[in-house]
Amino acid sequence: MKKISSALISVFDKGNLDAIVEKLNNFGITIYSTGGTQSYIENLGINVTAVEDITDYPSILGGRVKTLHPKVFGGILNRRDLKSDQEQVAEYNIPSIDLVIVDLYPFEDTIASGAGHEDIIEKIDIGGISLIRAAAKNYKDVIIISSKEQYPSLLQLLNEKNGESELEDRKKLAGEAFAVSSHYDSAIFNYLSDDNIKLRVSEDQSKVLRYGENPHQKGIFYGDIDALFTQLHGKELSYNNLLDVDAAVNLMNEFKEEGPTFAILKHNNACGISTRDSLKEAYVDALAGDPVSAFGGVLIANRSIDEETAEKINSLFCEVVIAPDFEEKAMELLRSKKNRILLRQKQISMPATQIRTALNGYLYQEKDLISDAASSFKQVTKKGITASESEDLVFASKLVKHTKSNTIVLVKNKQLLASGTGQTSRVDALNQAIDKARHFKFDLSSSVMSSDAFFPFPDCVEIADKAGITAVVQPGGSIKDQLSIDYCDANNMAMVLTGIRHFKH
């Protein structure tokens, strides 16, 4: 046990500090401070010693240098059980500091505010980060409070242990302090770095999940899920739910400016999606794409869910329903299943990059943010595409981009008829899609086909032609592109190229 006799307090945000200061004062703990924090404590009517009175040196350079002094850091870093340290402390009249309370300049918030470069640089904390590291290093003797989120824990510690602390308490807080300092330094590095040659990722917020992909695996989500969704009902999101929700959000982002659109996803792939005049019609036609796979799926809409749509949804067992909003009566209906997760999606900017583990390291890439538009289509066949085919080809291209490779997507009248997903052969993907569409009684005549990559041979367009497909969109780029084009010309099919491949692994 270590008794707290003195404390150094230097914080940017004074919120909720009064309760801490008053508690320290009640225990008779000497308080040292500087600048605005000192004034704040004095205004509470509590005695405080200015750091300048210890160092005999004023705050200089516009406040850039205040606590950076041997008498401050000696007070923190001296080892209480080491004779030579204590002799030097006595020789130089250095007061020991047992508790350090610091928070850092809001660097990330300053960036987010749109502030200029000079203002951002001024929010790089020097003294605070140094105090945190010093106190955390000497946790054997010193308590470090590095965030105002720790104030309740400190108050509890002071109350329960009567102004003292145990080594276990101090070690835990030291670990949290280094988490704060490393996150802060990562944010500065990422701001100043002009390239991505070095990788620094830091996320303070985390949520322990029930388990990972399977029950025997541990799972944790790192990030602020509440910034993206308000959960209105249901159980906690699982690891697999989060992967499906991520896929759903990315897919529906392609259709946010379109008419009422509804999608159903399973294992990160769309098994149904359609755009219609009403959301109810969009849901009904999305479900028709694969009513079997929809069981236990993730549903997402680009419009507020109304009562009529909710009545249809309610008869399906589904894990998650996502929408910009839910009408009150729709909410009542959907809440009838206690475990069904209802998420109101907020409109925030999503990350533009992706990171995943691979072998003994990480893979980093920009997200595939290019969406194929009709204006980017290059006609390569004698027969051109009709207006309705053009709309369907754009629809299919958006879908193929979010479907696991190798993939072929079949669309008609802005409705997914079927897709072949995750196949080792593009021919297999096409055959899978055709078989599935026929299984659910879809008429493939006058439908369109999208491929995530080029056709090395004309076999796919030949199979598509015989199934009734009349128009094709693909990136092109094969040295044998002309073979597929020639087949289309000989069989009255239309083909357009985009020049953009959309692999998804």
Side-chain angles (χ1 to χ4, degrees):
M1 297 291 287
K2 291 280 185 180
K3 181 176 176 60
I4 303 170
S5 298
S6 59
L8 171 62
I9 307 176
S10 180
V11 297
F12 181 85
D13 186 343
K14 315 299 187 295
N16 301 319
L17 184 62
D18 53 345
I20 297 289
V21 173
E22 288 167 1
K23 179 61 66 175
L24 297 177
N25 186 57
N26 291 340
F27 279 116
I29 295 169
T30 301
I31 298 175
Y32 302 103
S33 192
T34 186
T37 308
Q38 177 189 339
S39 299
Y40 175 85
I41 296 171
E42 288 172 341
N43 289 336
L44 293 175
I46 292 172
N47 290 330
V48 56
T49 300
V51 168
E52 290 88 338
D53 293 342
I54 301 172
T55 63
D56 293 324
Y57 216 93
S59 171
I60 61 172
L61 306 181
R64 279 188 164 198
V65 180
K66 292 182 283 191
T67 56
L68 296 169
H69 194 280
K71 282 197 172 182
V72 175
F73 283 86
I76 296 169
L77 285 165
N78 75 86
R79 290 156 287 190
R80 275 56 163 181
D81 59 356
L82 189 62
K83 182 180 178 183
S84 58
D85 277 15
Q86 295 310 302
E87 287 173 349
Q88 287 186 316
V89 162
E91 179 182 357
Y92 295 108
N93 193 28
I94 298 174
S96 284
I97 297 171
D98 307 314
L99 167 65
V100 175
I101 302 176
V102 183
D103 72 351
L104 301 172
Y105 291 160
F107 181 80
E108 290 177 286
D109 289 346
T110 305
I111 294 174
S113 73
H117 178 72
E118 290 304 318
D119 289 335
I120 292 170
I121 293 301
E122 284 306 309
K123 287 298 185 292
I124 297 178
D125 205 310
I126 303 300
I129 204 81
S130 301
L131 291 170
I132 286 173
R133 292 179 62 84
K137 176 178 180 177
N138 201 26
Y139 72 84
K140 185 177 179 182
D141 297 305
V142 180
I143 300 174
I144 173 62
I145 298 297
S146 52
S147 167
K148 66 179 182 180
E149 279 72 33
Q150 296 172 324
Y151 288 178
S153 298
L154 176 60
L155 280 172
Q156 183 179 355
L157 176 68
L158 293 169
N159 287 325
E160 291 180 355
K161 298 182 180 176
N162 200 32
E164 297 185 345
S165 68
E166 296 181 63
L167 181 61
E168 183 181 347
D169 302 321
R170 298 190 294 275
K171 183 178 180 181
K172 180 177 182 293
L173 290 166
E176 293 175 3
F178 281 116
V180 168
S181 67
S182 64
H183 178 83
Y184 197 77
D185 286 340
S186 294
I188 296 169
F189 165 80
N190 288 325
Y191 172 73
L192 293 175
S193 178
D194 292 328
D195 56 49
N196 297 310
I197 301 303
K198 298 181 179 67
L199 176 65
R200 296 290 185 276
V201 179
S202 180
E203 179 54 63
D204 283 339
Q205 299 195 59
S206 64
K207 182 177 181 59
V208 176
L209 306 173
R210 296 196 302 276
Y211 50 80
E213 202 161 8
N214 299 292
H216 63 277
Q217 295 170 266
K218 180 180 178 181
I220 302 173
F221 175 77
Y222 292 96
D224 183 9
I225 194 71
D226 293 333
L228 183 57
F229 300 111
T230 299
Q231 183 164 344
L232 304 171
H233 183 68
K235 62 185 179 180
E236 290 187 352
L237 287 160
S238 69
Y239 182 98
N240 292 328
N241 287 155
L242 287 165
L243 289 175
D244 282 334
V245 167
D246 176 68
V249 168
N250 287 324
L251 172 60
M252 193 53 71
N253 192 51
E254 301 279 352
F255 297 90
K256 62 183 179 182
E257 303 299 332
E258 303 297 331
T261 303
F262 211 107
I264 304 171
L265 288 89
K266 193 74 170 287
H267 295 296
N268 309 160
N269 293 304
C271 56
I273 180 170
S274 76
T275 298
R276 293 292 181 260
D277 292 333
S278 72
L279 197 62
K280 183 185 81 170
E281 291 173 314
Y283 169 74
V284 169
D285 286 347
L287 181 63
D290 187 345
V292 176
S293 295
F295 182 86
V298 169
L299 282 57
I300 187 166
N302 70 347
R303 295 285 194 280
S304 177
I305 293 181
D306 53 39
E307 184 181 8
E308 279 190 323
T309 308
E311 285 175 349
K312 293 291 185 180
I313 294 171
N314 203 40
S315 62
L316 174 72
F317 170 73
C318 56
E319 290 274 339
V320 185
V321 183
I322 309 163
D325 209 347
F326 298 80
E327 293 182 2
E328 187 175 342
K329 289 187 177 179
M331 183 79 70
E332 290 176 10
L333 277 168
L334 296 175
R335 279 177 168 162
S336 63
K337 304 292 192 298
K338 70 174 184 177
N339 288 328
R340 181 186 285 151
I341 299 167
L342 304 181
L343 300 176
R344 179 189 291 129
Q345 185 179 350
K346 304 172 187 177
Q347 295 306 311
I348 66 168
S349 297
M350 298 292 284
T353 57
Q354 294 174 311
I355 299 171
R356 64 192 294 183
T357 59
L359 301 174
N360 61 341
Y362 301 89
L363 286 171
Y364 167 96
Q365 70 169 354
E366 297 174 341
K367 279 187 175 179
D368 182 358
L369 298 177
I370 295 178
S371 296
D372 299 327
S375 59
S376 67
F377 290 166
K378 177 185 177 182
Q379 181 181 327
V380 291
T381 51
K382 295 175 183 177
K383 181 185 178 183
I385 56 175
T386 66
S388 62
E389 284 175 336
S390 178
E391 289 183 350
D392 281 346
L393 288 170
V394 170
F395 189 96
S397 288
K398 290 178 178 180
L399 272 177
V400 86
K401 172 181 163 184
H402 294 276
T403 307
K404 189 171 182 180
S405 301
N406 286 314
T407 182
I408 294 287
V409 167
L410 307 180
V411 165
K412 184 176 179 180
N413 298 328
K414 295 187 178 179
Q415 178 187 21
L416 172 63
L417 304 185
S419 59
T421 62
Q423 299 301 302
T424 53
S425 157
R426 198 158 305 282
V427 170
D428 287 346
L430 175 55
N431 283 326
Q432 182 190 51
I434 291 171
D435 290 345
K436 190 172 183 180
R438 287 172 173 166
H439 176 76
F440 290 113
K441 310 301 182 187
F442 284 112
D443 177 9
L444 288 173
S445 62
S446 300
S447 63
V448 306
M449 173 175 78
S450 177
S451 174
D452 59 338
F454 63 63
F455 299 121
F457 304 103
D459 46 7
C460 281
V461 290
E462 182 178 353
I463 294 168
D465 172 40
K466 291 177 179 178
I469 294 161
T470 55
V472 180
V473 59
Q474 56 125 334
S478 169
I479 59 173
K480 297 182 179 181
D481 274 349
Q482 194 61 44
L483 295 177
S484 294
I485 296 169
D486 289 345
Y487 181 91
C488 289
D489 283 340
N491 292 275
N492 200 34
M493 293 180 72
M495 178 184 287
V496 294
L497 304 183
T498 65
I500 302 295
R501 190 181 73 183
H502 290 297
F503 270 166
K504 185 183 180 214
H505 293 97

